[in-house]
Amino acid sequence: LIETMKLIIAATLAASAAAFAPAKVAQTSTSLNAFEDELGAQPPLGFFDPLGMLTDADQERFDRLRYVELKHGRICQLAFLGQIVTRNGIHLPGPIDMAGDSFDSYPNGIAALFGENAIPTAGLLQIIAFVGFLELGVMKDVTGEAEFPGDFRNGALDFGWDSFDEETKLTKRAVELNNGRAAQFGILGLMVHEKLGEIDMAADLPIIGTLQ
């Protein structure tokens, strides 16, 4: 489990580093300079690409990385919110399985998926299948009407987006981007603290207390 956590943390750090869409690095590459004014290249880091994932990249690759960043950010925002909600004692009502076990009978955090008291394998497979369904059939540009990477409205879910001017749209996209970046570091921090609790190094965190 510890090795698995190490791989997850390493992958998250790599995704987060690339996601900051890029900084400084010597301005010798024309392709890099082309992305310096893209959404997300903002103070205090500016154009930040420490892993060089945009070196010699074209617009298509940049859009792909931006799409991945947004997706990871959205998932991490949901994950972080889930941690806050469940660790405050709020769970779905009723049983989680045919045996009558309640939702709150299982541990919070990563322990709900891996460990002695984790949910049954069948439950984990259902989660994976549902996520796969969303990834392959829902959370993508089905109609080809997307205005930018990560635009999954598909001509249906608008929420007044078309009524905003361009400046407001850029502001809202930047807010989502920054919230997603913060959430990636936030959920990573919670995962680390959860593992620290296993070696008697638990910290009493704001809002959610000590992770166990």
Side-chain angles (χ1 to χ4, degrees), residues 80-97:
F80 194 88
L81 180 61
Q83 284 271 13
I84 293 176
V85 170
T86 55
R87 290 187 182 280
N88 274 279
I90 303 174
H91 299 83
L92 292 174
I96 193 175
D97 55 27

Side-chain angles (χ1 to χ4, degrees), residues 23-101:
K24 197 174 168 214
V25 196
Q27 297 184 13
T28 56
S29 170
T30 302
S31 61
L32 281 180
N33 293 341
F35 303 121
E36 285 187 342
D37 295 325
E38 286 282 354
L39 183 71
Q42 56 200 38
L45 297 179
F47 188 69
F48 188 66
D49 183 21
L51 300 181
M53 300 186 73
L54 287 174
T55 302
D56 298 325
D58 55 15
Q59 187 65 44
E60 182 179 359
R61 174 164 174 76
F62 177 86
D63 289 344
R64 171 61 183 171
L65 291 175
R66 174 49 51 82
Y67 163 77
V68 172
E69 176 185 12
L70 282 168
K71 180 168 66 174
H72 288 174
R74 289 166 178 172
I75 292 171
C76 289
Q77 288 178 74
L78 289 172
F80 194 88
L81 180 61
Q83 284 271 13
I84 293 176
V85 170
T86 55
R87 290 187 182 280
N88 274 279
I90 303 174
H91 299 83
L92 292 174
I96 193 175
D97 55 27
M98 299 299 293
D101 297 314

